[in-house]
Amino acid sequence: MPKTVGVAVSNATFHFDKLYTYAVMPDQQEAVRLGSMVLVPFGRGSKARMGVVLACDEEPEHAKLKYLFDVAPASACLTPELLRLVHFLKERTFCTYYEAVKAVIPYGAQYKSALAADGVTPVLQKQLTRHTENSYKLVGALQQKPRPTAKQLAAVALLSGGERTQNEMEAHGITKAVLDNLCAKGVVECSKVNKSIDLYSSIPLKNEPITLTAEQQAAYDALLPGLEDTAPHSALLYGVTGSGKTLVFLKLIERCLALGRRALVLVPEISLTPQMILRLKSRFGRRVAVQHSALNHTERLLQWQMIQDGGADIVVGTRSAVFAPLENIGLVIIDEEQEHTYRSESAPRYAAQEVARQRAAENGSLLLLASATPSTESFYAAQNGRTQLVRLTQRYGGNPLPSVQIVDMRAELASGNPREISLAMEDAIRRNLDAGKQTILLLNRRGYQTMAQCDDCREVLKCPKCSVPMVYHKAGHKLLCHYCGTQLDPPPKTCPACGGKLLYRGFGTQKAEEELAQLFPEARVLRMDQDSTAAKDAHEKLLAKFARHEYDIMVGTQMVAKGLDFEDVTLVGVLGIDSLLFAQGFRAYETVFSLITQVVGRSGRAKDPGFAIIQTTDPDNPVLNLAAAQDYDAFFEQEIAYRKLGLYPPFCGLCVVGFSGPKEIEVARAAARFSALLGRQAAQQPDLPLRVLGPTPGNIEKINENYRYKLTIKCRADKRFRDLVRQTLGLYEQEKLPSKATVVVDMHSDGDI
């Protein structure tokens, strides 16, 4: 039994993030092990702090050790593999130990510090204690006097069909107050039940066999050897949009389970999980667990515990699901692997692909990346034989790819059409409506109008706390900043700089919705963006309504571009793509190519041929034309030549060091000092390849009153380079520079901090 333990504590700075040695009380020795969550006295005042045990029987640095306050039960202990992932994240992403622990386990499984009943002793308390909910059943008749309310009658009618939980009742608009009243009358009885764990139990099981086309079967056969042995393998499944990659996944998962192993499936965003869950659940039933951020804390915790207890064979989810406590993983699938949402924007700044590769190596699994538009790095690795390349070249069912028309918006303006929807697009939508078909329109901006500009001095109205234009949202009749949430209500009419008249212009999803309503008053328009899908399960509900033909046109931001499969969509329109074409960051073209190829691929997936229209002010742009032709190979040749010439990944690693603080001159000085310290350290290793660019202001110079600067370092992303950055961070902290500007290191960035 451990007498002493090495503990990593919460809220440590980078510089002080080491293991601290504590003594273990005799009565705690049974409970403490590697990976235990503990509460420790820390610092001069011995304040209670959360920690995790990362070493046992440490040699004490001095004789006077403090004792642990409290230990969490063994069920909250990190598994050996999750512990190794904590060390992996710490080594790769410059986060602290505790930040890594918080990434690896969901909020609900974490603990916080509290006081015991005596009001003095610090103890651990679970972040979540509510695992039960109220359940109601009918036990008596509702009296006719006094006359029952409509809600009471509705409640009794619902419960006459059987027992229901409070959540289910509230979903039907019946509040707890109504139910309490019925309980008091003896009509209804309330009991506590465990919250339900099977989130998608309404999905029926279908046991039909998976039938593959000859091409899909060939892809499956090529991937199978990598799945069936116990060594790690990686492969890239590159298939045109609509080629039926998911069927190949299902067949591989089926084989993986037959081998007695488990599977992990990652999708890039929440809007894609409903379709993937539907396919997995209807095929594999209850043994599918879900991990993504749209679940509430309790649902997420219950799913996590189910995985940890061995109750799941398949885990499906977004980025964070890569940390699911699955044992014996045989297959890891990363769908739409090129998506930026697989990279975390807050500490620990990891890429899900890198963590997945690490887990595949530990478990001897097959790591399968899949996409119609693979990232340049993945395709380069596949071409050079570092990853197995498997292609699907035909659409499922033999459908042709959609035909594409590019519309020049400058000609539209010249011919006197002031609207954002071109005449060609209007005609195509009208033809589609007449044929009873559906349309998807992609517009990569939410809001109504995207900026307010002064007619006199031409200044654009910016957020007072950030250096970005404010966006007008019509529903709330106010201006919003999409970065810090600042609101101007009501929207100003005059320019704050010179008093001139403000003109609102630009085009967001709300404005598109309005323009469509004017052009096609009979059409039912669905808007999908962050504002309309903020509510829980909103994605699933809206997409299901679209699938049932309750809407004719769906207009949305990039969440409508990927992975969705609706058989009656035969027209796709791309409205606001130009802003992305001219964006900063070396991935701008890759992003545009991928987005257009993906959204065009939503069209014509069933029996009717598809059509797509791209509106742009740059109709000759090669990226747009290659995407319209869905010619990934030609795009890759062009892109890889540009990357080699400019020295960008995959020909180097890219590390961005970001600085932010309230005083611009101090942030600029701190960034310059970091650069000098890094140069001094690097000079001691002249053979280490390195290029430091900057410091320069961030792409957005100010967010929420904080100025931002960045250093971009082109490097070889190996252990030697990470050690160099680590030493430099230590020196930066020794010089007390973090008080001037906080620093973040991002090894997985697109260069756009």
Side-chain angles (χ1 to χ4, degrees):
M1 296 295 121
K3 300 274 193 303
T4 63
V5 287
V7 176
V9 294
S10 61
N11 299 336
T13 59
F14 183 84
H15 194 46
F16 288 103
D17 187 37
K18 57 187 180 61
L19 299 189
Y20 293 89
T21 311
Y22 286 89
V24 183
M25 295 278 222
D27 62 338
Q28 294 170 333
Q29 288 180 8
E30 292 292 321
V32 173
R33 59 192 75 181
L34 275 181
S36 287
M37 307 296 284
V38 291
L39 192 63
V40 297
F42 190 77
R44 282 211 189 115
S46 282
K47 291 224 166 61
R49 262 206 211 186
M50 287 298 310
V52 63
V53 173
L54 294 181
C56 285
D57 286 324
E58 286 288 272
E59 279 302 307
E61 291 157 31
H62 49 82
K64 237 177 143 222
L65 285 182
K66 296 177 180 175
Y67 283 94
L68 300 176
F69 280 143
D70 197 6
V71 187
S75 61
C77 198
L78 290 179
T79 61
E81 190 184 355
L82 292 184
L83 269 177
R84 288 193 293 275
L85 284 179
V86 166
H87 288 286
F88 175 80
L89 287 173
K90 162 94 172 151
E91 153 64 20
R92 290 300 174 92
T93 69
F94 305 97
C95 65
T96 65
Y97 281 121
Y98 207 77
E99 281 169 341
V101 170
K102 279 163 75 171
V104 165
I105 58 175
Y107 174 85
Q110 295 167 24
Y111 282 78
K112 59 185 177 189
S113 168
L115 291 178
D118 60 11
V120 183
T121 320
V123 290
L124 283 172
Q125 184 185 339
K126 285 199 85 154
Q127 289 280 22
L128 278 189
T129 42
R130 303 186 324 261
H131 292 325
T132 58
E133 60 180 335
N134 290 342
S135 180
Y136 296 93
K137 71 170 184 226
L138 210 52
V139 289
L142 188 57
Q143 300 299 321
Q144 291 310 302
K145 285 191 171 153
R147 198 150 153 238
T149 64
K151 282 280 197 266
Q152 288 174 346
L153 289 168
V156 170
L158 271 171
L159 291 173
S160 61
E163 196 168 335
R164 284 178 182 252
T165 64
Q166 185 175 327
N167 262 353
E168 290 170 322
M169 298 300 282
E170 283 174 350
H172 288 281
I174 290 158
T175 60
K176 187 169 179 301
V178 173
L179 292 162
D180 287 347
N181 188 322
L182 289 170
C183 287
K185 291 185 167 165
V187 177
V188 170
E189 190 176 87
C190 171
S191 59
K192 294 268 182 208
V193 293
N194 270 341
K195 288 220 167 170
S196 94
I197 193 163
D198 194 7
L199 284 181
Y200 298 86
S201 51
S202 56
I203 297 173
L205 255 180
K206 293 188 191 131
N207 272 337
E208 60 229 31
I210 304 166
T211 37
L212 301 184
T213 62
E215 191 183 39
Q216 288 170 330
Q217 185 65 43
Y220 170 74
D221 292 339
L223 292 165
L224 201 55
L227 178 69
E228 293 196 323
D229 70 11
T230 50
H233 296 277
S234 69
L236 173 64
L237 178 61
Y238 159 47
V240 297
T241 53
S243 58
K245 292 184 283 292
T246 311
L247 283 174
V248 180
F249 298 165
L250 293 175
K251 194 86 174 164
L252 284 166
I253 293 168
E254 190 173 65
R255 181 70 191 129
C256 175
L257 301 192
L259 292 166
R261 304 189 74 189
R262 292 178 171 154
L264 177 59
V265 183
L266 299 184
V267 289
E269 45 194 296
I270 294 164
S271 58
L272 293 189
T273 44
Q275 287 206 350
M276 188 61 87
I277 291 165
L278 182 69
R279 287 178 159 168
L280 290 169
K281 276 273 185 191
S282 61
R283 178 96 223 128
F284 302 107
R286 285 188 64 102
R287 308 282 295 175
V288 179
V290 184
Q291 288 281 284
H292 64 69
S293 55
L295 303 180
N296 65 37
H297 287 319
T298 304
E299 289 169 334
R300 200 160 170 177
L301 174 65
L302 289 169
Q303 292 282 302
W304 192 79
Q305 282 172 341
M306 166 181 162
I307 302 164
Q308 198 174 31
D309 298 341
D313 298 319
I314 303 167
V315 173
V316 55
T318 44
R319 179 177 66 218
S320 58
V322 78
F323 298 117
L326 258 191
E327 312 255 320
N328 189 15
I329 302 172
L331 175 65
V332 182
I333 294 172
I334 302 187
D335 195 16
E336 308 291 0
E337 62 86 28
Q338 78 287 354
E339 285 300 320
H340 70 92
T341 44
Y342 283 126
R343 288 193 286 275
S344 165
E345 310 236 319
S346 56
R349 290 177 161 72
Y350 65 92
Q353 294 94 326
E354 196 186 15
V355 179
R357 188 161 278 120
Q358 174 68 14
R359 294 197 74 177
E362 288 219 352
N363 284 275
S365 350
L366 169 62
L367 171 64
L368 180 59
L369 306 174
S371 175
T373 54
S375 67
T376 307
E377 291 91 322
S378 297
F379 201 71
Y380 184 71
Q383 273 203 328
N384 290 349
R386 289 205 302 278
T387 295
Q388 178 189 2
L389 179 61
V390 179
R391 286 177 184 253
L392 292 172
T393 55
Q394 276 134 29
R395 293 193 108 182
Y396 192 63
N399 300 357
L401 286 166
S403 52
V404 181
Q405 176 187 356
I406 292 181
V407 173
D408 184 350
M409 290 306 280
R410 291 168 307 184
E412 286 282 320
L413 263 178
S415 69
N417 174 19
R419 283 199 300 263
E420 296 285 346
I421 291 172
S422 63
L423 298 172
M425 185 84 84
E426 184 186 340
D427 278 354
I429 294 175
R430 185 154 281 127
R431 281 199 307 274
N432 222 30
L433 282 171
D434 292 345
K437 296 295 176 193
Q438 291 174 294
T439 303
I440 292 181
L441 298 179
L442 169 76
L443 173 61
N444 215 23
R445 285 203 197 102
R446 61 197 176 98
Y448 183 77
Q449 278 157 324
T450 43
M451 59 181 203
Q453 191 175 27
C454 174
D455 210 17
D456 296 342
C457 71
R458 314 305 293 158
E459 274 293 308
V460 170
L461 182 66
K462 291 195 168 147
C463 166
K465 297 180 180 176
C466 309
S467 54
V468 291
M470 306 272 293
V471 179
Y472 175 58
H473 283 244
K474 191 171 188 188
H477 187 55
K478 54 190 163 199
L479 283 169
L480 284 179
C481 170
H482 285 181
Y483 283 85
C484 71
T486 295
Q487 304 185 356
L488 290 182
D489 186 6
K493 292 188 171 61
T494 54
C495 168
C498 75
K501 184 175 178 223
L502 282 178
L503 296 176
Y504 284 85
R505 56 168 59 110
F507 191 58
T509 43
Q510 295 175 8
K511 177 93 178 283
E513 185 180 25
E514 190 173 283
E515 213 167 88
L516 288 164
Q518 285 165 355
L519 287 170
F520 313 108
E522 73 290 355
R524 299 157 304 170
V525 179
L526 165 65
R527 189 177 93 240
M528 289 278 284
D529 57 24
Q530 244 178 307
D531 303 311
S532 70
T533 57
K536 186 170 152 51
D537 299 339
H539 290 103
E540 291 165 59
K541 288 176 181 151
L542 294 175
L543 292 174
K545 285 183 169 179
F546 189 69
R548 289 197 299 268
H549 246 294
E550 290 179 30
Y551 293 99
D552 305 301
I553 303 171
M554 171 154 66
V555 56
T557 51
Q558 54 194 6
M559 62 174 71
V560 305
K562 306 167 210 103
L564 304 177
D565 196 350
F566 299 108
E567 52 184 47
D568 273 349
V569 172
T570 50
L571 173 66
V572 162
V574 179
L575 304 178
I577 200 75
D578 290 3
S579 60
L580 281 177
L581 261 180
F582 310 117
Q584 289 174 307
F586 71 95
R587 278 185 211 280
Y589 282 177
E590 183 179 283
T591 305
V592 170
F593 180 85
S594 168
L595 196 58
I596 290 187
T597 306
Q598 297 278 357
V599 76
V600 165
R602 297 309 111 219
S603 172
R605 296 174 73 93
K607 49 193 182 303
D608 301 294
F611 184 58
I613 295 178
I614 301 168
Q615 297 188 168
T616 175
T617 52
D618 186 10
D620 301 322
N621 190 296
V623 180
L624 293 183
N625 284 283
L626 288 170
Q630 300 240 335
D631 190 345
Y632 176 81
D633 291 278
F635 169 74
F636 174 79
E637 289 308 318
Q638 183 187 303
E639 184 71 4
I640 202 80
Y642 148 70
R643 300 272 185 102
K644 195 165 189 172
L645 193 68
L647 189 64
Y648 284 109
F651 299 102
C652 69
L654 198 67
C655 173
V656 178
V657 187
F659 303 85
S660 72
K663 294 190 176 146
E664 185 172 12
I665 189 154
E666 290 189 349
V667 177
R669 277 188 193 144
R673 182 65 188 143
F674 186 97
S675 181
L677 290 169
L678 182 73
R680 200 174 79 195
Q681 294 301 107
Q684 296 163 20
Q685 303 183 48
D687 62 326
L688 196 68
L690 218 127
R691 262 188 218 180
V692 182
L693 312 172
T696 58
N699 291 356
I700 297 169
E701 289 175 38
K702 185 171 88 166
I703 292 183
N704 209 358
E705 302 285 13
N706 276 314
Y707 289 90
R708 296 145 53 89
Y709 272 74
K710 66 174 179 179
L711 278 179
T712 305
I713 308 165
K714 292 179 175 179
C715 58
R716 190 179 291 143
D718 56 8
K719 185 171 186 328
R720 273 181 70 194
F721 173 73
R722 290 194 298 269
D723 288 344
L724 176 75
V725 173
R726 217 167 257 118
Q727 291 159 9
T728 311
L729 283 168
L731 295 168
Y732 184 85
E733 286 203 352
Q734 275 172 16
E735 295 193 6
K736 306 249 186 310
L737 289 165
S739 60
K740 308 275 190 252
T742 54
V743 58
V744 295
V745 179
D746 193 344
M747 286 294 295
H748 304 284
S749 158
D750 296 345
D752 56 1
I753 274 189

